[in-house]
């Protein structure tokens, strides 16, 4: 099963689908982390968020003992179903093949892709929070990389996650989708945007749909979520019912339009065959919750 086919709330007994146990209690035990390092799986990530891979793009996971003593910047990711610890460390070897997360997540096992997403988000946070936002002092990272502590004022800093809503808005047998100018030609996706301070998720769904398309919704239902570390988002997926049909353009989207169910099915089928260009448009990438939401809408619509 690929990540695109897996449910976003990963449960069950398949070790390749089960997320890592983040083992929070071990983050405060440097001696225990150091003892686990030699037998640990290590994902090496560079400053651009790419991971070490083999020549075919498969994950290149190193064993801790092959990398020498545990480096100071090693991040503890958790423990898998086989009781193996997973860490992430900085990839500095310029000759090592690399792969970016979007490509990797399309083919890697869910557990590896999920661990890589966590590693990427932590590395991004560390790189951009080296100094305290309160006093400007230098920040050191402790608790296995999960806590930043200012060396001057001792203020504590934690990894940031930005909630964003993403919604499939339907009206009968039509689905609302839009595209940004920077996307590949013919690519369309469902509507998304960040939650603002003081908003409920439902209010954010209604506001984003109205701002980007001028469509008013009459209700929405939460379906699932997906971490999206580009750089730090948590996508919260909804299906909504449209209360109006006339689309009003905005500066946020190059175009928004209604697609009939038959067009969407044809685009999804072409994508599933590995021939997305033969479809009427390019659907959202299969690694994304947007793709999953579109399929959920199709399954619920006749």
């Amino acid at each position: 099963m690929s990540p695109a086919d897996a449910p976003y709330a990963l449960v069950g007994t398949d070790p390749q689908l089960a997320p890592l146990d983040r083992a929070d209690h071990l983050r405060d035990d440097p001696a225990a982390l150091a003892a686990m390092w030699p037998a640990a799986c290590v994902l090496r990530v560079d400053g651009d968020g790419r991971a070490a891979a083999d020549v075919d793009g498969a994950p290149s996971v190193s064993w801790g003992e092959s990398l020498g003593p545990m480096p100071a910047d090693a991040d503890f990711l958790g423990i898998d179903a086989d009781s193996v610890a997973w860490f992430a460390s900085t990839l500095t070897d310029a000759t090592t093949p690399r792969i970016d997360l979007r490509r990797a997540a399309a083919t890697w096992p869910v557990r590896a892709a999920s661990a890589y997403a966590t590693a990427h988000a932590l590395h991004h946070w560390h790189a951009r929070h080296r100094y305290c936002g309160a006093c400007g002092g230098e920040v050191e990272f402790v608790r296995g990389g999960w806590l930043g502590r200012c060396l001057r004022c001792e203020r504590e800093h934690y990894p940031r996650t930005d909630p964003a809503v993403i919604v499939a808005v339907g009206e009968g047998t039509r689905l609302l989708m839009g595209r940004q100018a920077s996307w590949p030609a013919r690519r369309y996706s469902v509507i998304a945007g960040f939650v603002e301070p003081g908003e409920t998720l439902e209010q954010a769904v209604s506001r984003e749909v109205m701002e980007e398309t001028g469509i008013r919704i009459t209700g929405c239902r939460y379906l699932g979520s997906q971490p999206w570390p580009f750089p730090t988002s948590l996508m919260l997926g909804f299906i909504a019912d449209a209360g109006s049909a006339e689309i009003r353009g905005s500066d946020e989207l190059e175009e928004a339009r209604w697609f009939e169910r038959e067009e969407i099915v044809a685009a999804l089928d072409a994508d599933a065959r590995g021939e997305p260009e033969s479809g009427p448009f390019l659907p959202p990438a299969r690694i994304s919750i947007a793709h999953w939401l579109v399929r959920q809408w199709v399954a619920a619509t006749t």
Side-chain angles (χ1 to χ4, degrees), residues 160-164 193-201 203-204 207-208:
R160 174 174 175 172
T161 297
D162 300 316
F194 288 104
V195 180
E196 294 186 347
E199 270 188 327
T200 66
L201 298 180
Q203 289 169 340
R207 175 184 55 79
E208 283 292 342

Side-chain angles (χ1 to χ4, degrees), residues 11 23 58 63 71 95 99-100 102 118 127 135 152 177 201 236-237 253:
V11 296
W63 296 107
T95 64
I99 187 170
D100 67 81
R102 293 175 198 253
T118 303
C135 75
R152 180 185 296 171
M177 289 196 289
L201 298 180
L236 303 159
L253 295 177

Side-chain angles (χ1 to χ4, degrees), residues 20 40-41 43 61 75-80 84-88 111-112 115:
L20 296 176
C41 289
L43 290 177
V61 178
D75 298 326
F76 175 59
L77 304 179
I79 299 175
D80 66 23
V84 175
W86 285 55
F87 288 81
R111 185 173 66 189

Side-chain angles (χ1 to χ4, degrees), residues 98-281:
R98 299 151 198 245
I99 187 170
D100 67 81
L101 178 55
R102 293 175 198 253
R103 285 183 56 207
T107 56
W108 286 12
V110 170
R111 185 173 66 189
S114 176
Y116 181 19
T118 303
H120 175 70
L122 282 175
H123 272 61
H124 181 274
W125 176 57
H126 292 167
R128 287 157 180 78
H129 292 81
R130 294 181 296 134
Y131 300 97
C132 178
C135 75
E138 186 177 356
V139 171
E140 68 169 347
F141 296 100
V142 295
R143 298 201 77 238
W146 290 88
L147 171 66
R149 181 178 294 122
C150 178
L151 295 175
R152 180 185 296 171
C153 70
E154 299 185 350
R155 187 180 297 269
E156 295 184 344
H157 303 271
Y158 295 89
R160 174 174 175 172
T161 297
D162 300 316
V165 294
I166 182 164
V167 54
V169 180
E171 193 236 8
T173 59
R174 301 193 300 174
L175 180 66
L176 178 66
M177 289 196 289
R179 61 170 278 105
Q180 296 182 9
S182 60
W183 291 356
R186 302 174 59 245
R187 170 85 73 196
Y188 286 84
S189 186
V190 292
I191 308 304
F194 288 104
V195 180
E196 294 186 347
E199 270 188 327
T200 66
L201 298 180
E202 294 81 4
Q203 289 169 340
V205 168
S206 178
R207 175 184 55 79
E208 283 292 342
V209 174
M210 176 60 73
E211 286 180 356
E212 295 190 9
T213 68
I215 297 296
R216 176 177 54 85
I217 66 168
T218 59
C220 62
R221 179 167 58 93
Y222 172 75
L223 291 188
S225 63
Q226 180 188 30
W228 193 249
F230 304 110
T232 56
S233 299
L234 175 64
M235 306 302 296
L236 303 159
F238 290 80
I239 279 185
D241 299 316
S244 60
E246 183 178 354
I247 295 173
R248 185 183 69 239
S250 73
D251 294 335
E252 298 186 46
L253 295 177
E254 180 183 63
E255 182 188 8
R257 53 167 288 196
W258 293 103
F259 286 84
E260 288 291 343
R261 184 179 186 277
E262 290 76 11
E263 295 178 274
I264 297 169
V265 170
L268 292 174
D269 287 347
D271 188 59
R273 294 194 307 269
E275 303 171 351
E277 295 291 345
S278 68
F281 66 93

Side-chain angles (χ1 to χ4, degrees), residues 24-40:
D24 178 82
H25 64 286
L26 291 174
R27 295 175 184 173
D28 281 320
D29 193 340
L33 297 181
M36 291 187 294
W37 173 261

